């Protein structure tokens, strides 16, 4: 298993993050102002994440101009994404309604997980088996953090409590 920890680069920003892999620096990412796009670097591989349309539920991740994974939101009412990568389909699902814990599933079996950590929930811990492709991990990390930030923004909470 590989553990990733995502943390805010600054207490006053919810756009820039650092990523560590098993305790070692592994990259970072930056969200756009609207949260629908951004860049992420994981293991020295730069990726670009884009949302197909402002209101659409389709995201994709590219590296070197090639689309390597796609995430679709099958139901706008549920916090679930279907991630297609390397010929496989993974499901990113909230474990319970309103909760901040998510699972990454392949064929109905949990293969990864994510949850917030820290007193203010300003860190995110994600675990993946080593065989999950890096681009899938990168898209999962980006979606999970964005879902949590969007929920906090919609509730009108301050950045300090995210």
């Amino acid at each position: 298993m590989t553990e990733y920890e995502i943390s805010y680069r600054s207490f006053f920003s919810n756009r820039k993050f650092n990523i560590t892999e098993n305790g070692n620096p592994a990259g970072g990412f930056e969200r756009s102002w609207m949260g629908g796009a951004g860049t992420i670097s994981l293991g020295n591989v730069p990726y670009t994440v884009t949302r197909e349309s402002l209101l659409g539920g389709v995201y994709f991740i590219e590296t070197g101009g090639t689309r390597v994974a796609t995430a679709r939101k099958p139901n706008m009412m549920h916090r679930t994404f279907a991630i297609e990568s390397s010929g496989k389909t993974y499901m990113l699902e909230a474990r319970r309604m309103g909760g901040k814990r998510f699972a990454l599933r392949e064929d109905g079996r949990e293969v990864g997980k994510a949850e917030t950590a820290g007193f203010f929930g300003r860190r995110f811990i994600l675990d993946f088996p080593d065989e999950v492709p890096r681009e899938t991990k990168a898209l999962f990390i980006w979606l999970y953090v964005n879902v949590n930030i969007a929920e906090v923004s919609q509730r009108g909470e301050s950045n300090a409590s995210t």
Side-chain angles (χ1 to χ4, degrees):
M1 282 295 255
T2 303
E3 180 182 277
Y4 292 91
E5 181 176 320
I6 291 71
S7 58
Y8 289 83
R9 286 191 189 157
S10 166
F11 187 79
F12 300 104
S13 172
N14 67 354
R15 295 183 48 237
K16 296 180 180 182
F17 300 84
N18 292 318
I19 301 173
T20 61
E21 181 177 330
N22 294 327
N24 300 311
F29 75 95
E30 184 172 344
R31 302 170 61 241
S32 68
W33 283 102
M34 296 294 289
T39 58
I40 183 168
S41 174
L42 192 58
N44 295 324
V45 178
Y47 297 99
T48 302
V49 181
T50 308
R51 191 174 190 170
E52 278 193 353
S53 66
L54 186 61
L55 299 176
V58 179
Y59 298 83
F60 56 90
I61 189 167
E62 296 178 323
T63 186
T66 303
R67 190 179 292 195
V68 292
T70 303
R72 290 175 174 34
K73 194 161 177 44
N75 184 329
M76 296 307 280
M77 301 304 291
H78 295 101
R79 296 177 312 145
T80 302
F81 291 91
I83 301 172
E84 297 169 15
S85 174
S86 301
K88 295 184 178 182
T89 300
Y90 299 89
M91 296 300 290
L92 169 60
E93 304 173 328
R95 289 190 171 170
R96 64 183 174 87
M97 196 169 158
K100 292 191 177 214
R101 292 182 177 174
F102 279 69
L104 182 66
R105 300 183 189 282
E106 179 185 7
D107 297 325
R109 175 179 60 90
E110 186 174 312
V111 296
K113 63 181 181 176
E115 59 191 17
T116 58
F119 184 72
F120 290 113
R122 293 187 54 81
R123 290 183 302 123
F124 307 95
I125 307 294
L126 300 95
D127 289 310
F128 301 102
D130 296 332
E131 61 269 12
V132 172
R134 188 169 293 277
E135 63 269 10
T136 304
K137 294 175 183 178
L139 187 53
F140 179 40
I141 289 168
W142 193 86
L143 287 169
Y144 175 71
V145 172
N146 273 290
V147 164
N148 277 294
I149 290 172
E151 287 177 356
V152 168
S153 297
Q154 288 171 355
R155 288 193 307 255
E157 296 177 18
S158 71
N159 193 32
S161 63
T162 53

